[in-house]
Amino acid sequence: MSSVSPSENLLVKALLGNGRFRYKLARTISHIGNPLMTGIMMMVLFLFKFNDPAYRTTLFIYAAIIILIPFTFFLFLYKKGIVTDIYIRRREERVWPTAGLTVGCILGFLHLWVDGQAPDLFILFAFIASIQNVINLAITTRWKVSLHAGCAASLATWGLILYGAMAIPLVIFLMLVAWSRLYLKRHTPAQIIANIILGGVVPLVVVALVNL
């Protein structure tokens, strides 16, 4: 579990309050907003946006690669005792699962690149996701950032890119996930903000520059 400074702890208490209900709510939101679930939600966003039989098989294969490979690798690590906690509270235990996620994203991008059937925007998404995970892996070797917040930020950003104002509920979802991680004291505010920037702001800037 990450250490929270006294000043940050007071800030969290002042903003979020206490109570059994809030704790249960935070746990529920945190479970819903785990990286596996947000990854599945991300794929649903793209599948609905590019609902064309010509793209469907390619997108399904990509989704299978980036979800099944990291998840299977995580189960292997857990079974071997390399990861001792399914919530991966210790930073040291996050490195290998993050590496598995990174490999899955890179393989998924290579599949799209070689296949050549996916929409340009989706290929760009896969490329950005690969770069984000490489950066996240490098950071994780030294610092425990919030993967929950980063994935939720990415989901919200791509939702806005694909659907505009219709995706505002995803922004609210991001705020709730960030709140839950703070309330449960899984991360400091800095660790959450850092990965929101990596997960959300970076793809927004890159897409704006590419101007697709």
Side-chain angles (χ1 to χ4, degrees), residues 36-142:
L36 176 62
M37 289 300 297
T38 50
I40 293 172
M41 286 188 275
M42 182 77 81
M43 292 302 97
V44 170
L45 287 182
F46 276 98
L47 286 169
F48 271 102
K49 182 66 176 181
F50 300 110
N51 188 22
D52 187 319
Y55 301 141
R56 200 169 297 155
T57 300
T58 295
L59 299 190
F60 270 117
I61 293 174
Y62 174 82
I65 291 172
I66 69 163
I67 292 173
L68 293 181
I69 289 179
F71 184 65
T72 302
F73 185 55
F74 173 80
L75 291 179
F76 168 79
L77 294 172
Y78 187 70
K79 183 177 180 180
K80 293 293 184 180
I82 299 172
V83 172
T84 59
D85 173 14
I86 61 172
Y87 300 110
I88 326 179
R89 293 181 176 92
R90 296 181 59 212
R91 179 197 60 78
E92 295 81 3
E93 293 188 1
R94 290 185 169 216
V95 175
W96 280 110
T98 304
L101 179 60
T102 302
V103 170
C105 286
I106 292 173
L107 291 177
F109 167 69
L110 292 175
H111 155 68
L112 296 178
W113 184 266
V114 172
D115 183 75
Q117 298 297 315
D120 289 343
L121 186 59
F122 191 75
I123 295 175
L124 180 62
F125 155 75
F127 174 74
I128 293 173
S130 298
I131 298 301
Q132 285 173 313
N133 277 281
V134 169
I135 296 172
N136 194 51
L137 176 59
I139 294 173
T140 301
T141 61
R142 297 291 181 180

Side-chain angles (χ1 to χ4, degrees), residues 126-164:
F127 174 74
I128 293 173
S130 298
I131 298 301
Q132 285 173 313
N133 277 281
V134 169
I135 296 172
N136 194 51
L137 176 59
I139 294 173
T140 301
T141 61
R142 297 291 181 180
W143 194 35
K144 179 187 170 185
V145 290
S146 175
L147 195 56
H148 279 70
C151 290
S154 187
L155 179 68
T157 297
W158 283 103
L160 291 171
I161 292 170
L162 295 171
Y163 297 97

